[in-house]
Amino acid sequence: MQTAITKRRGRKVVQSNQLTEAAYSLTRDQKRILYLCMSKMPNVPEGEPITHDGKFSITVAEYAEIYDLPSSAASQDIRAALSRFRGKEVTIYRPEFDDGDDKGYDAYPWLVKRSVRPSIGVYEISINQELMPLMAGLRRNFTVYDIIEVNSITNPLVMRLYETLCQFRGNRSEGTITLAVEWIRERYQLPASYNRMPDFRKRFLDVAIQEINPKSPLRVSVTEKKTGRSITHLEFKFTDTERKKAIEKASEAGEDPAHPKESNTL
């Protein structure tokens, strides 16, 4: 698996931390479509306005290649995912407008148009142009990862957690992040069936470790933290095995790469 990750890198996804921390619920295939679109986002020179109209074309061939699928399965996945985008929104929180427990936020539909062209194997997607500043021209406060890091992850909730870990990975090879359980439930929009801690642990935490560790460059462990008698926070420790090897290699060559450990809390 590690050989494949190294061999096929090259499609970077860059998104604002606001989008990483947003509240929404998408399926695996909807996430995969967005990953592919965002990896096609052109660079915006510093100081230039963001003029991208949010329109993207996805072919069955490229989707199948990126996600290691036969063409027939890729076509079915894309079509089903697009049909289910109807009514799907992403909520960006605006804490500067909070009033006590009443939270300020902006809610946007993900797509404004979706076009299906089965005769030529092409699907055209128009992402809401209001979301473009969260996907293009980013110079600070952004999350970055390669599609190949997430292309084998099949649980959309685990995809969300992976993005959160990448937000705090930055250029480091290892780090720690503490997340409130309620924050995860709210932002990842976990089903009500996950409310009991045993179910949360079995259906989310255990699945996340089982998916991320063998399928990505990250090696993750989690420690449950209590407030009183209740588990309220989760401490995730992660190591990027690829970056760690690169740092060790650079050190052996006499270089001095900076890779500080940092701790973060949400």
Side-chain angles (χ1 to χ4, degrees), residues 1 4-6 8-9 11 13 28-29 31-32 35-36 62-69 145-155 159 162 211 214-217:
M1 182 63 68
I5 289 171
T6 302
R8 296 174 54 195
R9 279 186 175 275
R11 284 182 176 263
V13 176
R28 178 200 67 178
D29 298 327
K31 291 286 292 174
R32 285 180 167 182
Y35 287 153
L36 194 48
E62 66 178 336
Y63 189 96
E65 193 277 330
I66 289 292
Y67 297 116
D68 296 318
L69 295 169
Y145 47 93
D146 198 289
I147 284 185
I148 197 62
E149 297 182 49
V150 291
N151 81 327
S152 295
I153 295 176
T154 58
N155 187 304
M159 291 172 167
Y162 194 88
E211 285 235 59
K215 296 180 179 180
S216 81

Side-chain angles (χ1 to χ4, degrees), residues 27-265:
T27 66
R28 178 200 67 178
D29 298 327
Q30 287 171 332
K31 291 286 292 174
R32 285 180 167 182
I33 287 172
L34 289 178
Y35 287 153
L36 194 48
C37 290
M38 292 165 68
S39 74
K40 297 180 177 185
M41 194 70 70
N43 290 328
V44 178
E46 189 165 6
E48 293 292 320
I50 298 169
T51 58
H52 198 286
D53 59 8
K55 295 180 180 179
F56 298 90
S57 291
I58 292 178
T59 68
V60 170
E62 66 178 336
Y63 189 96
E65 193 277 330
I66 289 292
Y67 297 116
D68 296 318
L69 295 169
S71 295
S72 57
S75 180
Q76 291 172 5
D77 287 353
I78 296 170
R79 191 176 302 191
L82 288 179
S83 70
R84 292 170 186 156
F85 261 110
R86 187 185 296 110
K88 292 277 189 175
E89 287 190 335
V90 54
T91 299
I92 307 295
Y93 285 98
R94 301 288 301 275
E96 68 271 27
F97 295 114
D98 288 356
D99 184 10
D101 292 333
D102 194 8
K103 295 183 178 179
Y105 65 87
D106 295 324
Y108 304 94
W110 281 104
L111 303 185
V112 295
K113 182 181 177 182
R114 43 197 169 85
S115 303
V116 179
R117 305 287 185 261
S119 63
I120 55 174
V122 174
Y123 298 84
E124 296 175 352
I125 300 158
S126 294
I127 295 177
N128 190 340
Q129 199 165 3
E130 297 236 25
L131 295 175
M132 289 300 100
L134 303 179
M135 301 178 181
L138 299 165
R139 295 289 182 271
R140 59 185 67 84
N141 299 323
F142 61 82
T143 302
V144 60
Y145 47 93
D146 198 289
I147 284 185
I148 197 62
E149 297 182 49
V150 291
N151 81 327
S152 295
I153 295 176
T154 58
N155 187 304
L157 299 177
V158 178
M159 291 172 167
R160 291 295 311 275
L161 176 61
Y162 194 88
E163 293 168 27
T164 300
L165 295 174
C166 288
Q167 175 182 347
F168 292 98
R169 173 179 63 178
N171 292 320
R172 298 185 296 276
S173 64
E174 53 192 332
T176 301
I177 174 175
T178 301
L179 302 176
V181 173
E182 283 307 312
W183 186 93
I184 293 175
R185 287 183 174 135
E186 177 187 51
R187 303 306 172 97
Y188 299 177
Q189 297 193 348
L190 300 188
S193 58
Y194 289 42
N195 285 348
R196 293 178 63 253
M197 197 60 202
D199 294 323
F200 177 90
R201 189 183 295 115
K202 178 181 179 181
R203 299 181 182 183
F204 174 67
L205 276 186
D206 292 350
V207 172
I209 300 302
Q210 291 164 9
E211 285 235 59
I212 291 174
N213 284 350
K215 296 180 179 180
S216 81
L218 296 189
R219 298 296 173 268
V220 180
S221 63
V222 60
T223 303
E224 298 173 356
K225 300 291 185 178
K226 289 186 176 182
T227 301
R229 300 178 63 181
S230 300
I231 297 168
T232 58
H233 291 77
L234 302 170
E235 181 184 81
F236 293 91
K237 292 185 178 179
F238 62 88
T239 299
D240 186 318
T241 56
E242 290 187 355
R243 291 186 180 180
K244 188 173 182 180
K245 288 178 183 176
I247 287 169
E248 290 171 352
K249 202 169 183 180
S251 296
E252 290 173 2
E255 300 175 12
D256 186 24
H259 56 290
K261 293 183 182 179
E262 292 192 12
S263 179
N264 302 276
T265 302

